[in-house]
Amino acid sequence: MGVVNVTPDSFSDGGLYFDPAAAVEHALTLQAEGAAILDVGGESTRPGADPVAADEESRRVVPVIEALVAAGVSARISVDTSKAEVTERALAAGATLVNDVTALRAAPEMAELTAAASADLCLMHMAGTPRTMQDNPHYDDVVSEVKAFLEERMAFAVAHGVREDRIILDPGIGFGKTVAHNLELLRRLPELVALGRPVLIGTSRKSFLGRLTGRDLDDRIPGTLATNVIAYERGARIFRVHDVAPLYDALVVTAAALDG
Ligand code: HH2
């Protein structure tokens, strides 16, 4: 899954693809590099990010989705949003996956919208909100708590019409977690895979990699690759990254070595 941030303020590439034409070109490059899913987002979720109104978020993502459909992309188009209005417009424009970092807590009606469009739905764990999530996160057992949360959110989605076989689960690396929490979630990923749905993992360029290596944003590709290779080995099957080309090769080799 390649990240297409149509935002002025995303943590690692804010402003680079804010112009729709630049976003489309970038998405096509990610597809050529091996992305099977293009995740188009119009609101940053970085710690402390300012909220974006639904109208403005739609204005950012919908033209990009429409242009990708018009370009005949073979990759699936995902919309990274927590708003019903944006979900509805993105699905109408051709998105077939809804990636909601609030797991239907911000806009529960996204369940019915997703179900009506027969789209897939990614439910992600986050402790608190982007504004507050990194203020001293605490868990007694991070993996059990994330697992219980995802189980409850999956049951909620199913109760509101989403087919269970359309659900993807994500522990939300970096969303209300310390470095130790992120590492424990990676190490114990099989406990989340045991829920029976595909697990998505998003470590790309995130700050815990910087904390571990001392590297700035642009130099976190090796850390991104290491965490995704481990996640593959522990059962994750969707990998959300900014840098598709190096990850593609890393995963081809990992899969060949582990699976034959
Ligand atoms: N991480 C980010 C955004 N969306 N969605 C899922 N399912 N999982 C993630 O780990 C995840 C996500 C943060 O990365 P990015 O989009 O680059 O930054 P920003 O939120 O600042 O736009």
Side-chain angles (χ1 to χ4, degrees):
M1 173 186 265
V3 179
V4 183
N5 280 328
V6 197
T7 57
D9 60 343
S10 284
F11 81 94
S12 79
D13 55 1
L16 282 181
Y17 314 111
F18 195 38
D19 167 47
V24 170
E25 192 186 322
H26 182 60
L28 295 175
T29 301
L30 296 178
Q31 177 180 256
E33 291 176 353
I37 307 172
L38 299 167
D39 189 35
V40 183
E43 178 177 42
S44 173
T45 55
R46 75 185 152 73
D50 285 326
V52 177
D55 250 14
E56 169 63 16
E57 194 181 324
S58 294
R59 258 197 302 278
R60 294 177 183 180
V61 298
V62 170
V64 173
I65 294 170
E66 285 172 347
L68 290 173
V69 170
V73 289
S74 56
R76 298 187 53 187
I77 301 171
S78 161
V79 62
D80 187 345
T81 189
S82 302
K83 295 190 185 76
E85 186 183 325
V86 179
T87 300
E88 196 167 13
R89 292 198 196 174
L91 290 170
T96 61
L97 197 168
V98 176
N99 173 22
D100 180 9
V101 298
T102 76
L104 303 175
R105 290 179 297 167
E109 65 273 32
M110 282 169 63
E112 283 86 0
L113 292 171
T114 304
S118 300
D120 287 351
L121 174 64
C122 179
L123 301 171
M124 194 196 81
H125 175 271
M126 167 167 37
T129 64
R131 216 162 245 296
T132 60
M133 64 189 179
Q134 289 307 111
D135 301 346
N136 206 14
H138 170 81
Y139 304 85
D140 289 329
D141 177 349
V142 66
V143 180
S144 305
E145 288 172 47
V146 167
K147 183 175 179 180
F149 172 90
L150 293 175
E151 255 181 313
E152 189 278 325
R153 289 288 84 198
M154 182 152 67
F156 178 91
V158 169
H160 289 79
V162 180
R163 271 177 30 193
E164 189 169 328
D165 66 358
R166 295 204 189 282
I167 295 175
I168 296 162
L169 301 175
D170 181 347
I173 297 292
F175 286 86
K177 281 117 187 161
T178 63
V179 175
H181 293 142
N182 292 324
L183 296 175
E184 187 164 0
L185 283 162
L186 280 174
R187 207 158 42 235
R188 293 172 56 194
L189 209 56
E191 294 174 46
L192 303 180
V193 173
L195 289 170
R197 299 303 313 143
V199 167
L200 185 155
I201 201 90
T203 64
S204 190
R205 301 183 185 173
K206 283 185 179 169
S207 70
F208 80 110
L209 301 173
R211 295 278 295 280
L212 287 165
T213 60
R215 303 285 180 203
D216 287 336
L217 277 169
D218 291 342
D219 297 318
R220 294 181 189 161
I221 292 179
T224 300
L225 298 183
T227 47
N228 281 292
V229 165
I230 290 164
Y232 181 92
E233 188 268 334
R234 311 235 156 167
R237 285 298 174 266
I238 304 174
F239 309 86
R240 183 181 184 279
V241 290
H242 303 86
D243 310 284
V244 170
L247 182 73
Y248 189 83
D249 281 6
L251 290 182
V252 164
V253 174
T254 304
L258 289 174
D259 308 334

